[in-house]
């Protein structure tokens, strides 16, 4: 079984404008647990917040749960959560928000995948 990654998009609050839509990442792990990871706050004072055993379908403001990727089960859950939780929160730019954080976290996941690919390529037998 694999780790399944999703992007969550929620209706904006107080008004449903593009800039007020909330974005987060959601993960389903092989052992049946789930986790959402996101930043909350306001420009300049965002904080990273993990939510263990979060079920987005229960939220009335969920607009879409977008499948991103399935990671092989040999990716360690604890290490993976650590990688995502270390995605920097950028409180230095006033136009930075949760949507940017999701993009940054996905870039970290991509870098992890590329690193894993390189490791496997370097195991070539006939070098």
């Amino acid at each position: 079984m694999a780790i399944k990654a999703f992007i969550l998009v929620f209706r904006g609050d107080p008004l449903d404008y593009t800039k007020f839509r909330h974005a987060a990442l959601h993960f389903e792990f092989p052992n049946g647990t789930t986790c959402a990871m996101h930043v909350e706050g306001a420009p300049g004072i965002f904080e990273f917040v993990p939510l263990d055993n979060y079920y987005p379908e229960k939220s009335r403001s969920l607009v879409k749960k977008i499948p991103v990727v399935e990671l092989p089960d040999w990716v360690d859950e604890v290490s993976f959560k650590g990688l995502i939780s270390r995605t920097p929160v950028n409180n230095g730019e006033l136009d930075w928000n949760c949507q940017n954080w999701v993009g940054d976290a996905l870039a970290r996941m991509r870098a992890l995948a590329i690193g894993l690919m390189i490791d496997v390529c370097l195991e070539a037998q006939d070098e």
Side-chain angles (χ1 to χ4, degrees):
M1 193 154 188
I3 296 173
K4 295 179 183 179
F6 302 88
I7 297 171
L8 304 176
V9 180
F10 298 89
R11 267 189 298 287
D13 185 33
L15 299 170
D16 191 25
Y17 293 151
T18 301
K19 66 182 179 179
F20 295 141
R21 286 226 160 165
H22 184 65
L25 291 174
H26 186 256
F27 304 101
E28 297 174 358
F29 298 102
N31 64 4
T33 63
T34 69
C35 179
M37 295 183 171
H38 67 128
V39 295
E40 60 183 35
I45 57 169
F46 282 106
E47 292 182 356
F48 170 76
V49 178
L51 302 168
D52 288 328
N53 296 313
Y54 179 75
Y55 298 93
E57 295 81 7
K58 293 182 178 182
S59 172
R60 298 168 111 211
S61 63
L62 179 67
V63 175
K64 189 86 170 174
K65 181 177 176 181
I66 304 163
V68 176
V69 69
E70 288 190 20
L71 300 164
D73 59 0
W74 49 266
V75 175
D76 176 72
E77 178 181 339
V78 173
S79 299
F80 181 74
K81 282 181 169 180
L83 172 80
I84 301 303
S85 69
R86 288 189 301 275
T87 301
V89 175
N90 184 350
N91 282 315
E93 295 180 41
L94 293 180
D95 61 346
W96 188 92
N97 63 22
C98 59
Q99 298 167 12
N100 299 106
W101 183 87
V102 167
D104 295 346
L106 290 172
R108 290 174 70 86
M109 288 173 56
R110 181 179 179 265
L112 170 67
I114 290 171
L116 292 171
M117 175 194 68
I118 291 169
D119 289 346
V120 172
C121 288
L122 291 173
E123 294 171 357
Q125 299 286 323
D126 295 326
E127 285 289 321

